[in-house]
Amino acid sequence: MALLETRGLSKSFGRLEAVKDLDLTVEQGELRGLIGPNGAGKSTVFNLITGFDVPTRGTVWFRGENITNVPAHKIAQKGISRAFQQSYLFMFSTVLENVLVGCHMSSRAGALREFLHTRSARMRDREARNKAMEILDFMGMAHLADEPASSLSHGYQRCLGVAMALACEPTLLLLDEPVTGMNPTESAEMVERIRRIREKGITVILVEHSMEVVMNVCERITVLSYGQKLAEGLPAEIQCNPLVVEAYLGKEEA
Amino acid sequence: MRLGKRRLGTLVLGVLFLALIAGLVACGGEKSTESTTGTTQSSGGAGATGTSAAGGSGSADEPVLRVGALLSLDSIQGVEMKKWLQLFAKLYNDAGGWKIGETTYRVEPMFYDVGMWDATKSRSAVEKAVLQDKVKYLVCNWGDIPAETLSVTEPNKVLWLGLDFVDDSVKPTLNYAVRAQGLFFAQGLFYYICQDYIKQGAKSVLVVCPDTQQGHVGAQLVGATATTAGMQVLDPIFFSADTADFSPIATKIASQKPDAVFFSYVAGASLINAIGALKDTGWKGFILPGELDGETLNNLVAKVGKEYVEGMETGSYDPRPVEKDPQTLNYIDAYQQQYGDWHSEGCFWIGPWFIFEDAINATQSTDVDTLVAYLTSSKKGVRTLTGYSQLFARPDLQNYKTVDSAPGHYIGVVRDGKFEYLETIACKDQYLSSIKVYGLKDVYQKYWDEYGYPEFPDQPARLDFSDL
Amino acid sequence: MTLQLFLQILVNGLMIGAIYALVASGFTLILGVLQVFNFAQGQFYMLGAFATYAVASVLGAPYVVAILAALAAMALLGILVYFSIIKWTLRYGFFHTMLATVAFGTIVGQAAVLKFGYSTAVVAAVVDKTLALGGVSLNSGKLLVLAGALVVMGLLYWFMRTKIGVAMQACAENREVACLQGINAGKVFWVTMAVGCALCGVAGALVVPVLSASTNMGQLIFLKAIIVVLVGGTGSMAGALLAAFLVGIVESFAFQYVESFAPLVIFALVAILIYFRPGGLLGKPLPIPGQ
Amino acid sequence: MRRAMLFKSNKWWLIPAFLLAVALPFFVGAYRLQIFIFVITYSLLALAFQLTMRVGLPRFDVAAWWGVGAYTSGMLMLKANMSFWLTLPISVLVSVVLGFAVFSVSVRRGMMVFMMFGMVFALALQQVFGSVKFFGGWGGTPQLPPVTIGSYVLNDKMWIYYLGMALLIFNLGVYQLLYKSRIGRAWSAIGSGLRLASSLGVNVVGYRLANVLVGNAFLALAGSFSVVYQAMIIPTTYGFQQSIYVMMYVVIGGLGFAMAGPIVGALVLTLISESMRAAQQYQPIVTGVITVLIIMFAPWGLLGVLRSRVVSVLQRLLSSRAALPDIPSSLGSPASVTAEEPGKDA
């Protein structure tokens, strides 16, 4: 059984069909790349999977369960989390507090206990903090824990986004252009971290603009164009696929 | 740009803090020292209360008689009452003051805005008047909530000469409250008009009221009066007080096919819209408007034409075409001189001032207890701007002190788009017709047997004790 | 219920519905395009009525001129409000602009009370005839209001198809994309404000011969507009127009049977609708911040 | 997710403020004390507004729920002869249960529907209070019985004031405890990034509903408290205009200041309004102008200006980085314009 499966997934905004009859299958432990020219519908696919948009047609299956019309927070609780394309953070909070929101689900101690700050609630809170610090450490930004998120550099803001998604303890992690706007060093570090995330057993779907990164890190790649699946296969296959070259690289030549 | 904005921010902050300080000062008011006569020494008119209007250039040491009024300045009645009180004070002060006993007082009216049926505003207004400004007399209240007001005035021994629509202020347990502008003994007006309309052929009547306390009380009283006068009373219609579109109401009225429609506590824009909507439905019959002043009538005629309102009768609050009393004429002259304009809305409701004036002049005292003793054993009518107003006891509530008033009223009739004086309702008729309407003859008979019949001002009356 | 009574109630409902439609569509237009929750909408309606009174009764101009004057005056005032207040608060977001209109409405409302007092402004009926339709008599003044409102709605429909109207719709759907396509958002905004307020002005002008103008007429109509927008779907123009007539008719019939409990009937209606059809009657509302 | 900075870094001013509040009855007369009692009531209302505001939901039914609290307490005291102290928790319960019924319809439909539905509800509720005979009609209830503690009748202004203070401090405490807990963290997250929060597994509808109901409990307390000093309950007090004033309190005080903002706003506006008692007809205009000026030139309220003053002075002294007060970004702080995508509710 595939971890994530979409069948005939479609979404239209007015007359524009952003995603059209997409069948996507992602196996447990995979590191999948999702590429395509601008406006190919990559972010919309993410929105459909995570419950931020309701598909016009089609279904989404996660671990054999239909999650098509499930609200976003429930999908997150089921184990799909995402990092957004923009630096979408709780800007006025500290880095640590941002990650703590990600730990929200796992630190439950019962409303009354939490309200009264009983020992068990405090213990849960401490555990959550430890976990958050661990994740920050993993992302190489533990030293920034008490800085306000708005003061971070762009690269660190992206990292924080990934850290928050990780804090949800996902089975499936959706990363939307994680290295955009990073310098080569930061970018390389991020690629390394994505590999390590995957080594932890977390399945990753990666939307990325930079071909270099995708070819470098992904095992399988799906190419979208005008909301439809154009091709799917190993990086090498994709690189040689004439359709892809035409749709994707062809534009650059023109 | 950024700097400019910051400066403006500072400016705003500065202005607000100034305002806050002003607020604190004003809430504090002037520290006034209370004298035993219930009057206060003015501390030079710091003006913090800002209410000492109406001329009066007496020296700072002159004793001051502070007369408070809790008024809703959100309403035309409140505004007009304020104007009248300022005028009365000015007349006294221009004449050198009010001589009471051995002392001559400068009259200082104090106004407190109470909003319109607003419990918190009412409360803070009465507390400022009584606790802060040490006002000893609250005359002419309009729009306050008597239950709130009385809970402050009673323990502080403040004379309350107000108005309420339920019987909160005439309970026998109260000692300092007199309902000086009551509507309990005001059924004479409707009784007269019902009789007139019956004579012209009206058989059934529909009462239409706003869905307010006054409206509900009014509907009950008007209904009872019409029944007593011999009309068939249909189920009253209540409408939301802020209605602007009266079409559904008019449609409902017309669908019940009454001969006459009585609007109770419907005035101004509501009245014009209501009658306009009634005309639109094609209904024809007798109309009794709740209140009708000159301006409203002019607007009404502009809207529905003269013919539709021909022969309409209502209570008149405009003393100008009626009064021959020289004192009243003087007041009207002075009002027109002072304000250059004429509004009749305040004439009726300012009645308590005359009761207060009469009590002070009769007792030559400013002591609240003396005044109360005089008022609660009052025997005669007092002339107000709109005829005689007289205090009566309420034996039906076991209150044998004279604490509830029958106000003076005229009936006017609309002829050719103009309001004409028809007749004056005698105090006696107000009193007797009300007792008749409420079916309280037995209770009052017992009271009369024990305390004697009340005496009335010398006016022609339709009813006598034998008619009950 | 006789046919005449039924038709009377229906016409009452349609007339007030037409007024609701004008006010609510102006409100929903401003809400959709500017993303400003205009609390002063009712005050524009009130000022429109008084402007008509001033031109028609005080200056003695024909009624049609008075309507146009009210329209122009409210449009100008709307533009003025946009450039003096709303433009400067837009960047602080939804809540701040809303509060700015609350404060503006409070100021205007009280200023009107101080200026016009508690008296009533009456404009004589334009057509003072009762229309007889097969034994059923209907007041032609109300039908005139209805006709006038329908004409204005037609104009509005036409306007929304002009170049600027299309730009307004584009801005409402997605402001950023619209700006990318070269639409001048600033211009669209003040035009929207002008149109939204002018609709209120016209509503006030149309209604004044039937109902007279008073300073407190704005507050209630605003709350009614809210109900209409809720029923029709937030930000949906067509929904607002449809819902306005529905609310007007329901109100009119409800009064006949439950009198002052009519607001409760409306509330129940709204609650049920919201529960089963969150988007209002006409499903697809415009995107609104903070959803 | 904002840190409650006022209570973290600047705690010192709490002590003099508390002492001042406790000592107040010894300095001011009965009338001014009554004004401060009103300020306390309005602060309770504004706190409830601010609480809900922080999950991105402005509410315009504040006055209506205030009325629910007052009517529940008053009616139970009048009709069932209950002790005030027993009606206090009951009114909270009634308010929360009724609130659950109403809000479970509207909260899931997003901010706009929540807000507008609240207005319609408030309108309908006032009609119920006014038109249903049981509640005493538009003229209000009969005179309420006095509030007693054992055999002592609570009619001394000073003790009413202290009771109000106790309620206010209780509310502030609950507020603080909530915001320091995991629940509060979720609320703050919803307030500053709705979609982000739901993508992290925060149940937006559930937490918003909980927040609104806590607000309802605060309002019920305020309503019951007003029964202590009011002679009667009258429906016109709980009108739409009062809800608008509550909103003004919060903004004038400072939206970013969770606790001090509402209190300062209520204090300033009540005092201004009270100082204009002689010229009440100009009071709405003055209030309106102040509000417009505040919004345009000091969008984070009086405390915001004060804070930036203080900060800029400190900055000059210490040349350290200044921090402006933070606003839940869904309310539209400049940062959110790009951060918040318009779209469907979670």
Side-chain angles (χ1 to χ4, degrees), chain A residues 56-182:
Chain A
T56 326
R57 285 193 314 276
T59 47
V60 182
W61 298 80
F62 180 64
R63 292 206 278 203
E65 187 184 354
N66 188 340
I67 57 163
T68 315
N69 282 315
V70 176
H73 72 272
K74 287 228 174 94
I75 293 183
Q77 286 166 7
K78 286 180 194 302
I80 303 180
S81 50
R82 69 183 291 186
F84 285 83
Q85 184 175 0
Q86 312 94 330
S87 294
Y88 188 24
L89 308 168
F90 304 118
M91 285 295 179
F92 297 109
S93 310
T94 66
V95 168
L96 180 66
E97 283 168 330
N98 266 281
V99 181
L100 277 176
V101 177
C103 301
H104 179 80
M105 291 174 291
S106 55
S107 60
R108 187 187 297 266
L112 194 64
R113 285 199 189 131
E114 282 157 21
F115 168 60
L116 294 174
H117 294 255
T118 57
R119 214 155 66 93
S120 63
R122 273 178 284 148
M123 215 168 70
R124 288 286 185 156
D125 199 56
R126 216 167 24 245
E127 279 168 19
R129 271 167 206 280
N130 290 341
K131 197 179 109 189
M133 282 312 292
E134 251 171 56
I135 291 167
L136 283 176
D137 196 37
F138 172 75
M139 295 304 293
M141 51 194 303
H143 59 290
L144 296 169
D146 289 325
E147 293 290 313
S150 54
S151 72
L152 294 181
S153 73
H154 185 77
Y156 275 126
Q157 288 193 346
R158 313 300 329 238
C159 287
L160 180 53
V162 177
M164 287 158 75
L166 276 180
C168 297
E169 300 177 345
T171 320
L172 174 64
L173 179 65
L174 309 182
L175 296 176
D176 203 346
E177 307 199 358
V179 300
T180 311
M182 287 187 171

Side-chain angles (χ1 to χ4, degrees), chain B residues 2 5-10 12-13 16-17 19-20 22-24 26-29 31 48-51 73-74 82 111-125 127-129 131-132 145-148 151-152 168 171 211-213 216 240 242, chain D residues 29-32 34-36 38 42 66 127 130-131 133 137-140 143 157 229-234 236-237 242 252 267-268 270-281 283 290 293-294 296-299 301-303 305-306 308-309 312 315 324:
Chain B
R2 199 179 159 74
K5 234 176 87 69
R6 288 194 134 205
R7 260 189 213 146
L8 271 167
T10 321
V12 171
L13 188 76
L16 273 165
F17 271 88
L20 188 63
L24 282 165
C27 286
K31 285 269 174 286
T49 51
T51 46
L73 298 179
D74 285 345
K82 182 177 174 184
F111 302 105
Y112 302 92
D113 192 316
V114 290
M116 203 63 197
W117 294 94
D118 186 323
T120 47
K121 271 195 183 175
S122 210
R123 181 112 206 152
S124 57
E127 295 219 346
K128 180 160 170 62
L131 302 176
Q132 193 70 25
I145 296 171
E148 292 286 351
S151 70
V152 177
D168 277 340
K171 286 183 287 196
D211 189 8
T212 59
Q213 184 188 29
H216 282 272
S240 167
D242 44 8
Chain D
Y31 155 68
R32 267 186 286 176
Q34 181 64 46
I35 300 304
F36 280 102
F38 285 136
Y42 295 146
W66 182 34
Q127 194 70 43
S131 295
K133 281 272 171 331
W138 289 102
Q143 185 128 20
K157 281 269 150 63
Y229 59 83
Q230 258 169 232
M232 65 190 295
I233 308 168
I234 180 161
T236 37
T237 317
Q242 185 60 49
I252 287 179
L267 184 73
V268 170
T270 310
L271 287 186
I272 286 176
S273 157
E274 201 53 40
S275 66
M276 295 188 69
R277 179 155 289 293
Q280 280 282 298
Q281 61 268 49
Q283 181 254 322
I290 290 174
L293 287 179
I294 289 267
M296 289 174 71
F297 300 115
L302 284 181
L303 289 177
V305 178
L306 197 64
S308 66
R309 291 305 82 190
S312 73
Q315 204 177 358
L324 274 169

